[in-house]
Amino acid sequence: MNVSARIVDGTEISRAIRAEVAAEVAQLRAAGVVPGLAVVLVGADGASEVYVRSKARACREAGMHDRTLHLPAEVTAEELYGVIDGLNADPDIHGILLQLPLPAHLNPKPFLERIDAAKDVDGFHPLNVGRAFIGDPRGFVPATPAGIMEMIRREQIPTQGRHAVIVGRSLIVSKPLMSLLMAPGPNAGVTLVHRHTPDIAPFTRMADILIVAVGKPGLVTADMVKPGAAVFDVGITRVPDPADPRGYRVVGDVDHAGVSEVAGAITPVPGGVGPMTIAMLLRNTVEAARRDAARTRKRDRRRAAP
Ligand code: NAD
């Protein structure tokens, strides 16, 4: 008999996290600090604009200050550096996001490195990447892998001694997730496969926890999943759908219907990992504001000391 997997509801979990964030923001506001997030968007990109709007809405709902800077696609490198430097120096802004992709004439790397690591709530600055890798809590962990770890914790999915298999090797999702899962605490064993792995199925079948972050609808089918596994579908792809008023629908990398018959737990798309990303971004921004307030207090105390 087939048993359907438990659906891990990212919308519900992210709502709980956003309520916690809002409570922390209220505390900080009472102490005179309003956490602020700035998003820099260069040029026009439909998917990015939608994402940026939902980030701004989520900030406002949590009581945070948000600022979106929409720059023209033909902005020069010098101008973009200038914008980032301005935000680095702005005391009202605690988190800075540079929305990717940038237009083709701009290589994102030097701009990501220009962001003050203390305001890099996306966790893409090399200093934060390194800190996250060595388990230094002063680093910021990118929001999507942090969101997956939070789902694992809140859903009480066992990790210790279990085998986690990650499909994909991006810096945004897969690499940080690898170090988070194998760190002391979660204590999972981790295997990572990617586009150059000739056949991913023998690996995915061994997974107690399977995370798929590729962007290829239908990549993982039921025969590739161990019965009872927890499956996290990170992929987001728009596929044409004349029945949908928008003309498309959003799907993940996992054949959701088929895999639901085999897995123990599974995230849907949409409504799984996606909403967690914004919630964790807000959490990182509040943390950045809290640290900034602590630094300011320390500085003031030093100045006041005889
Ligand atoms: P990416 O787009 O940078 O790279 C894709 C990865 O997939 C690569 O590492 C590549 O090696 C691997 N790959 C490609 N074909 C493969 C195959 N046939 N078998 C195995 N591996 C293969 O990765 P990304 O930025 O992590 O994005 C992956 C997907 O996740 C995209 O659909 C993206 O939109 C989505 N995403 C979702 C969220 C969210 O909040 N839910 C956040 C980030 C990314």
Side-chain angles (χ1 to χ4, degrees), residues 144 167-170 173 194-195 200 213-216 219 234-236 273-274 277:
T144 305
V167 187
R169 59 172 172 178
S170 72
V173 185
H194 50 76
R195 73 166 82 241
I200 63 169
V214 173
K216 291 204 168 139
L219 180 72
V234 186
I236 297 180
V273 176
T277 299

PDB file of all heavy atoms in Angstrom, residues 144 167-170 173 194-195 200 213-216 219 234-236 273-274 277, ligand 1:
ATOM      1  N   THR A 144      18.618  30.550   1.980  1.00  0.00           N
ATOM      2  CA  THR A 144      17.950  29.310   1.543  1.00  0.00           C
ATOM      3  C   THR A 144      18.453  28.088   2.326  1.00  0.00           C
ATOM      4  O   THR A 144      17.638  27.348   2.893  1.00  0.00           O
ATOM      5  CB  THR A 144      18.095  29.120   0.019  1.00  0.00           C
ATOM      6  OG1 THR A 144      17.596  30.300  -0.618  1.00  0.00           O
ATOM      7  CG2 THR A 144      17.306  27.924  -0.470  1.00  0.00           C
ATOM      8  N   VAL A 167      21.919  17.435  -4.363  1.00  0.00           N
ATOM      9  CA  VAL A 167      22.098  17.463  -5.822  1.00  0.00           C
ATOM     10  C   VAL A 167      22.262  18.927  -6.223  1.00  0.00           C
ATOM     11  O   VAL A 167      21.364  19.743  -5.983  1.00  0.00           O
ATOM     12  CB  VAL A 167      20.907  16.819  -6.561  1.00  0.00           C
ATOM     13  CG1 VAL A 167      21.219  16.711  -8.065  1.00  0.00           C
ATOM     14  CG2 VAL A 167      20.586  15.437  -6.001  1.00  0.00           C
ATOM     15  N   GLY A 168      23.414  19.256  -6.835  1.00  0.00           N
ATOM     16  CA  GLY A 168      23.741  20.640  -7.184  1.00  0.00           C
ATOM     17  C   GLY A 168      24.910  21.087  -6.316  1.00  0.00           C
ATOM     18  O   GLY A 168      25.119  20.536  -5.230  1.00  0.00           O
ATOM     19  N   ARG A 169      25.690  22.065  -6.815  1.00  0.00           N
ATOM     20  CA  ARG A 169      26.887  22.502  -6.067  1.00  0.00           C
ATOM     21  C   ARG A 169      26.999  24.023  -6.014  1.00  0.00           C
ATOM     22  O   ARG A 169      28.103  24.589  -6.058  1.00  0.00           O
ATOM     23  CB  ARG A 169      28.145  21.892  -6.694  1.00  0.00           C
ATOM     24  CG  ARG A 169      28.332  22.273  -8.145  1.00  0.00           C
ATOM     25  CD  ARG A 169      29.665  21.820  -8.701  1.00  0.00           C
ATOM     26  NE  ARG A 169      29.702  22.044 -10.141  1.00  0.00           N
ATOM     27  CZ  ARG A 169      30.735  21.795 -10.897  1.00  0.00           C
ATOM     28  NH1 ARG A 169      31.838  21.302 -10.381  1.00  0.00           N
ATOM     29  NH2 ARG A 169      30.695  22.031 -12.195  1.00  0.00           N
ATOM     30  N   SER A 170      25.856  24.731  -5.967  1.00  0.00           N
ATOM     31  CA  SER A 170      25.927  26.190  -5.970  1.00  0.00           C
ATOM     32  C   SER A 170      26.379  26.738  -4.622  1.00  0.00           C
ATOM     33  O   SER A 170      26.223  26.101  -3.582  1.00  0.00           O
ATOM     34  CB  SER A 170      24.557  26.780  -6.307  1.00  0.00           C
ATOM     35  OG  SER A 170      23.682  26.611  -5.213  1.00  0.00           O
ATOM     36  N   VAL A 173      23.105  27.709  -2.375  1.00  0.00           N
ATOM     37  CA  VAL A 173      22.330  26.693  -1.659  1.00  0.00           C
ATOM     38  C   VAL A 173      23.203  25.516  -1.216  1.00  0.00           C
ATOM     39  O   VAL A 173      23.358  25.238  -0.019  1.00  0.00           O
ATOM     40  CB  VAL A 173      21.166  26.145  -2.529  1.00  0.00           C
ATOM     41  CG1 VAL A 173      20.311  25.183  -1.711  1.00  0.00           C
ATOM     42  CG2 VAL A 173      20.294  27.259  -3.104  1.00  0.00           C
ATOM     43  N   HIS A 194      26.537  16.461  -8.770  1.00  0.00           N
ATOM     44  CA  HIS A 194      26.232  17.632  -9.607  1.00  0.00           C
ATOM     45  C   HIS A 194      26.204  17.245 -11.083  1.00  0.00           C
ATOM     46  O   HIS A 194      26.174  16.050 -11.401  1.00  0.00           O
ATOM     47  CB  HIS A 194      27.223  18.768  -9.319  1.00  0.00           C
ATOM     48  CG  HIS A 194      28.648  18.317  -9.354  1.00  0.00           C
ATOM     49  ND1 HIS A 194      29.320  18.067 -10.523  1.00  0.00           N
ATOM     50  CD2 HIS A 194      29.505  18.006  -8.343  1.00  0.00           C
ATOM     51  CE1 HIS A 194      30.541  17.662 -10.251  1.00  0.00           C
ATOM     52  NE2 HIS A 194      30.683  17.605  -8.923  1.00  0.00           N
ATOM     53  N   ARG A 195      26.255  18.257 -11.953  1.00  0.00           N
ATOM     54  CA  ARG A 195      26.023  17.982 -13.382  1.00  0.00           C
ATOM     55  C   ARG A 195      27.043  17.019 -13.983  1.00  0.00           C
ATOM     56  O   ARG A 195      26.775  16.394 -14.994  1.00  0.00           O
ATOM     57  CB  ARG A 195      25.967  19.287 -14.181  1.00  0.00           C
ATOM     58  CG  ARG A 195      27.271  19.984 -14.387  1.00  0.00           C
ATOM     59  CD  ARG A 195      27.159  21.064 -15.460  1.00  0.00           C
ATOM     60  NE  ARG A 195      26.603  22.306 -14.913  1.00  0.00           N
ATOM     61  CZ  ARG A 195      25.487  22.850 -15.325  1.00  0.00           C
ATOM     62  NH1 ARG A 195      24.785  22.287 -16.264  1.00  0.00           N
ATOM     63  NH2 ARG A 195      25.077  23.984 -14.801  1.00  0.00           N
ATOM     64  N   ILE A 200      23.085  10.159 -11.131  1.00  0.00           N
ATOM     65  CA  ILE A 200      22.877  10.578  -9.730  1.00  0.00           C
ATOM     66  C   ILE A 200      22.015   9.584  -8.951  1.00  0.00           C
ATOM     67  O   ILE A 200      22.003   9.576  -7.726  1.00  0.00           O
ATOM     68  CB  ILE A 200      22.271  12.006  -9.632  1.00  0.00           C
ATOM     69  CG1 ILE A 200      20.880  12.087 -10.254  1.00  0.00           C
ATOM     70  CG2 ILE A 200      23.205  13.042 -10.239  1.00  0.00           C
ATOM     71  CD1 ILE A 200      20.136  13.395  -9.946  1.00  0.00           C
ATOM     72  N   ALA A 213      18.729  20.917  -5.672  1.00  0.00           N
ATOM     73  CA  ALA A 213      18.804  22.342  -6.017  1.00  0.00           C
ATOM     74  C   ALA A 213      19.453  22.464  -7.383  1.00  0.00           C
ATOM     75  O   ALA A 213      20.658  22.704  -7.503  1.00  0.00           O
ATOM     76  CB  ALA A 213      19.600  23.100  -4.959  1.00  0.00           C
ATOM     77  N   VAL A 214      18.676  22.276  -8.425  1.00  0.00           N
ATOM     78  CA  VAL A 214      19.219  22.223  -9.782  1.00  0.00           C
ATOM     79  C   VAL A 214      18.504  23.197 -10.735  1.00  0.00           C
ATOM     80  O   VAL A 214      19.119  23.992 -11.427  1.00  0.00           O
ATOM     81  CB  VAL A 214      19.145  20.767 -10.330  1.00  0.00           C
ATOM     82  CG1 VAL A 214      19.532  20.719 -11.801  1.00  0.00           C
ATOM     83  CG2 VAL A 214      20.064  19.845  -9.524  1.00  0.00           C
ATOM     84  N   GLY A 215      17.167  23.130 -10.778  1.00  0.00           N
ATOM     85  CA  GLY A 215      16.436  23.950 -11.746  1.00  0.00           C
ATOM     86  C   GLY A 215      16.042  23.147 -12.976  1.00  0.00           C
ATOM     87  O   GLY A 215      15.942  23.705 -14.069  1.00  0.00           O
ATOM     88  N   LYS A 216      15.849  21.829 -12.804  1.00  0.00           N
ATOM     89  CA  LYS A 216      15.407  20.969 -13.924  1.00  0.00           C
ATOM     90  C   LYS A 216      14.163  20.204 -13.496  1.00  0.00           C
ATOM     91  O   LYS A 216      14.258  19.198 -12.759  1.00  0.00           O
ATOM     92  CB  LYS A 216      16.504  19.974 -14.306  1.00  0.00           C
ATOM     93  CG  LYS A 216      17.691  20.629 -14.950  1.00  0.00           C
ATOM     94  CD  LYS A 216      18.481  19.674 -15.836  1.00  0.00           C
ATOM     95  CE  LYS A 216      19.465  20.504 -16.658  1.00  0.00           C
ATOM     96  NZ  LYS A 216      20.763  19.894 -16.784  1.00  0.00           N
ATOM     97  N   LEU A 219      13.604  16.144 -12.559  1.00  0.00           N
ATOM     98  CA  LEU A 219      14.921  15.486 -12.483  1.00  0.00           C
ATOM     99  C   LEU A 219      14.881  14.281 -11.547  1.00  0.00           C
ATOM    100  O   LEU A 219      15.492  13.245 -11.830  1.00  0.00           O
ATOM    101  CB  LEU A 219      15.969  16.500 -11.986  1.00  0.00           C
ATOM    102  CG  LEU A 219      17.391  15.969 -11.856  1.00  0.00           C
ATOM    103  CD1 LEU A 219      18.015  15.739 -13.230  1.00  0.00           C
ATOM    104  CD2 LEU A 219      18.274  16.932 -11.060  1.00  0.00           C
ATOM    105  N   VAL A 234      14.286  22.297  -3.934  1.00  0.00           N
ATOM    106  CA  VAL A 234      14.664  23.720  -3.941  1.00  0.00           C
ATOM    107  C   VAL A 234      14.365  24.373  -5.294  1.00  0.00           C
ATOM    108  O   VAL A 234      14.158  25.578  -5.382  1.00  0.00           O
ATOM    109  CB  VAL A 234      16.165  23.877  -3.586  1.00  0.00           C
ATOM    110  CG1 VAL A 234      16.543  25.344  -3.449  1.00  0.00           C
ATOM    111  CG2 VAL A 234      16.505  23.133  -2.302  1.00  0.00           C
ATOM    112  N   GLY A 235      14.340  23.594  -6.341  1.00  0.00           N
ATOM    113  CA  GLY A 235      14.189  24.128  -7.699  1.00  0.00           C
ATOM    114  C   GLY A 235      12.972  25.030  -7.870  1.00  0.00           C
ATOM    115  O   GLY A 235      11.918  24.799  -7.275  1.00  0.00           O
ATOM    116  N   ILE A 236      13.167  26.067  -8.678  1.00  0.00           N
ATOM    117  CA  ILE A 236      12.057  26.959  -9.036  1.00  0.00           C
ATOM    118  C   ILE A 236      12.154  27.183 -10.532  1.00  0.00           C
ATOM    119  O   ILE A 236      13.114  27.808 -11.007  1.00  0.00           O
ATOM    120  CB  ILE A 236      12.158  28.325  -8.319  1.00  0.00           C
ATOM    121  CG1 ILE A 236      12.058  28.154  -6.799  1.00  0.00           C
ATOM    122  CG2 ILE A 236      11.082  29.283  -8.823  1.00  0.00           C
ATOM    123  CD1 ILE A 236      12.159  29.455  -6.026  1.00  0.00           C
ATOM    124  N   VAL A 273      10.400  25.436   0.214  1.00  0.00           N
ATOM    125  CA  VAL A 273      11.652  26.115   0.583  1.00  0.00           C
ATOM    126  C   VAL A 273      11.565  27.625   0.297  1.00  0.00           C
ATOM    127  O   VAL A 273      12.116  28.438   1.045  1.00  0.00           O
ATOM    128  CB  VAL A 273      12.835  25.478  -0.194  1.00  0.00           C
ATOM    129  CG1 VAL A 273      14.134  26.209   0.085  1.00  0.00           C
ATOM    130  CG2 VAL A 273      12.965  23.994   0.160  1.00  0.00           C
ATOM    131  N   GLY A 274      10.871  28.007  -0.766  1.00  0.00           N
ATOM    132  CA  GLY A 274      10.806  29.413  -1.194  1.00  0.00           C
ATOM    133  C   GLY A 274      10.444  30.389  -0.082  1.00  0.00           C
ATOM    134  O   GLY A 274      11.210  31.322   0.204  1.00  0.00           O
ATOM    135  N   THR A 277      13.069  31.220   2.550  1.00  0.00           N
ATOM    136  CA  THR A 277      14.217  32.055   2.189  1.00  0.00           C
ATOM    137  C   THR A 277      14.000  33.491   2.673  1.00  0.00           C
ATOM    138  O   THR A 277      14.887  34.083   3.296  1.00  0.00           O
ATOM    139  CB  THR A 277      14.427  31.985   0.659  1.00  0.00           C
ATOM    140  OG1 THR A 277      14.703  30.627   0.329  1.00  0.00           O
ATOM    141  CG2 THR A 277      15.565  32.849   0.192  1.00  0.00           C
TER     142      THR A 277
HETATM  143  P1  NAD B   1      22.618  26.953  -9.989  1.00  0.00           P
HETATM  144  O1  NAD B   1      21.503  27.356 -10.889  1.00  0.00           O
HETATM  145  O2  NAD B   1      23.736  27.877  -9.724  1.00  0.00           O
HETATM  146  O3  NAD B   1      23.256  25.597 -10.487  1.00  0.00           O
HETATM  147  C1  NAD B   1      22.541  24.440 -10.740  1.00  0.00           C
HETATM  148  C2  NAD B   1      23.315  23.251 -10.184  1.00  0.00           C
HETATM  149  O4  NAD B   1      22.689  22.069 -10.682  1.00  0.00           O
HETATM  150  C3  NAD B   1      24.752  23.195 -10.616  1.00  0.00           C
HETATM  151  O5  NAD B   1      25.551  23.086  -9.462  1.00  0.00           O
HETATM  152  C4  NAD B   1      24.870  21.955 -11.503  1.00  0.00           C
HETATM  153  O6  NAD B   1      26.079  21.239 -11.304  1.00  0.00           O
HETATM  154  C5  NAD B   1      23.672  21.139 -11.084  1.00  0.00           C
HETATM  155  N1  NAD B   1      23.121  20.337 -12.171  1.00  0.00           N
HETATM  156  C6  NAD B   1      22.732  20.734 -13.402  1.00  0.00           C
HETATM  157  N2  NAD B   1      22.234  19.713 -14.104  1.00  0.00           N
HETATM  158  C7  NAD B   1      22.299  18.638 -13.312  1.00  0.00           C
HETATM  159  C8  NAD B   1      21.949  17.277 -13.466  1.00  0.00           C
HETATM  160  N3  NAD B   1      21.394  16.828 -14.588  1.00  0.00           N
HETATM  161  N4  NAD B   1      22.171  16.429 -12.438  1.00  0.00           N
HETATM  162  C9  NAD B   1      22.715  16.875 -11.283  1.00  0.00           C
HETATM  163  N5  NAD B   1      23.066  18.166 -11.069  1.00  0.00           N
HETATM  164  C10 NAD B   1      22.874  19.025 -12.070  1.00  0.00           C
HETATM  165  O7  NAD B   1      21.999  26.459  -8.586  1.00  0.00           O
HETATM  166  P2  NAD B   1      21.114  27.260  -7.536  1.00  0.00           P
HETATM  167  O8  NAD B   1      21.400  28.719  -7.574  1.00  0.00           O
HETATM  168  O9  NAD B   1      21.296  26.481  -6.278  1.00  0.00           O
HETATM  169  O10 NAD B   1      19.635  27.063  -8.079  1.00  0.00           O
HETATM  170  C11 NAD B   1      19.079  25.781  -8.296  1.00  0.00           C
HETATM  171  C12 NAD B   1      17.579  25.876  -8.374  1.00  0.00           C
HETATM  172  O11 NAD B   1      17.084  26.308  -7.117  1.00  0.00           O
HETATM  173  C13 NAD B   1      17.040  26.883  -9.384  1.00  0.00           C
HETATM  174  O12 NAD B   1      15.836  26.397  -9.913  1.00  0.00           O
HETATM  175  C14 NAD B   1      16.769  28.117  -8.537  1.00  0.00           C
HETATM  176  O13 NAD B   1      15.743  28.933  -9.095  1.00  0.00           O
HETATM  177  C15 NAD B   1      16.316  27.483  -7.269  1.00  0.00           C
HETATM  178  N6  NAD B   1      16.522  28.293  -6.072  1.00  0.00           N
HETATM  179  C16 NAD B   1      15.471  28.377  -5.213  1.00  0.00           C
HETATM  180  C17 NAD B   1      15.603  29.098  -4.043  1.00  0.00           C
HETATM  181  C18 NAD B   1      14.447  29.152  -3.096  1.00  0.00           C
HETATM  182  O14 NAD B   1      14.339  30.054  -2.312  1.00  0.00           O
HETATM  183  N7  NAD B   1      13.569  28.143  -3.119  1.00  0.00           N
HETATM  184  C19 NAD B   1      16.797  29.784  -3.756  1.00  0.00           C
HETATM  185  C20 NAD B   1      17.861  29.646  -4.643  1.00  0.00           C
HETATM  186  C21 NAD B   1      17.716  28.897  -5.807  1.00  0.00           C
END
